Amino acid sequence: MPDEHRLEEQFLSQEAEKRISNQLDEVEQIEIDVQTDLLKILQGQADGVSVAGQGLVIKEDIRVQEIKLQIDSIAINPFSALFGQIELNQPVNTIARIILTEVDINRALTSDFVRSQMQNLELNVDGEIVSFEPEEIQVFLPGDGKVEFRGKVLLKEMGNTRSLAYTAIGRPRTHSQPAMLEGFNCTQGEGISIELITAFIQKAKELMNTPSFKWEDIAFSIKDIEVQKGTLILMLEAQINQIPSSLSLLSPE
């Protein structure tokens, strides 16, 4: 921390960095800057907390290349702060910027957590329920705002089970345009009906329009997505009810 920071700021910042680092499986760099002074701590106040991290790994398979966020004007528990732990007395809102690489995304897609979330998904195809389970999935970020998917799914319809391999190219939803599907191609299997493709698109739309997700005491929504070659940049709007005491995984709210 810079020399001009107060001793109490240095203490709180360093303790917060230690706590977060100990909770991560891996971390290349983490910097937490608590902006406050002793009088404000005793009054249960802090001007803000900024977090910047690189190469953060949670639960072995979930990796974030870079994260940045700034929380302003927060109410904290003065007693816990004196012992180096930041506890919020009131929820705060913030904007977070997260960068994921193509390698990060594909690593997460092989994790037990993500696989468990993608089991036995259901589609409504003209009143008939068709279940599908992704067997393989890879994501490629070729640039120009595009995302390419390649994978295999297991389809269960009308009592029959069959495997289908596919490739798809699309553009994610941003603040200025809706999600777009530019191409879909079956590379293995008997193909699928137009009705089933429509149901797939509707399910994808529902997932992308999920209002919020939750990570421990943090609820967030995706405000913007920027796709660059090899990199995905997310702008998240988050409501933080409490700074996590342990790092768990994401689940829809």
Side-chain angles (χ1 to χ4, degrees), residues 52-71:
Q54 292 185 340
L56 311 182
V57 179
I58 308 169
K59 301 297 184 184
E60 298 183 359
D61 292 314
I62 311 297
R63 183 183 184 276
V64 174
Q65 174 62 27
E66 182 179 321
I67 181 171
K68 291 183 178 179
L69 63 90
Q70 169 73 41
I71 307 171

Side-chain angles (χ1 to χ4, degrees), residues 25 28-29 42 54 60 73 79 84 92 94 117 133-134 137 139-140 143 150 159 165 188 191 252:
D25 291 332
E28 293 177 11
Q29 181 180 348
L42 294 175
Q54 292 185 340
E60 298 183 359
S73 301
F79 182 78
V92 295
T94 187
Q117 299 300 306
E133 182 177 335
I137 184 169
V139 171
F140 301 89
R150 300 177 194 171
Q188 179 183 323

Side-chain angles (χ1 to χ4, degrees), residues 123-126 130-132 155 157 162 164 191-202:
L123 301 174
N124 189 326
V125 183
D126 290 342
V130 176
S131 66
F132 70 99
L155 288 175
E157 54 181 333
R162 61 190 179 98
L164 176 73
I192 57 177
S193 65
I194 293 177
E195 290 79 9
L196 188 53
I197 291 178
T198 302
F200 267 121
I201 294 174
Q202 181 61 34

Side-chain angles (χ1 to χ4, degrees), residues 91-107:
V92 295
N93 296 317
T94 187
I95 298 293
R97 183 175 185 266
I98 295 178
I99 299 178
L100 302 171
T101 67
E102 184 177 283
V103 173
D104 294 337
I105 296 170
N106 287 307
R107 176 177 174 175

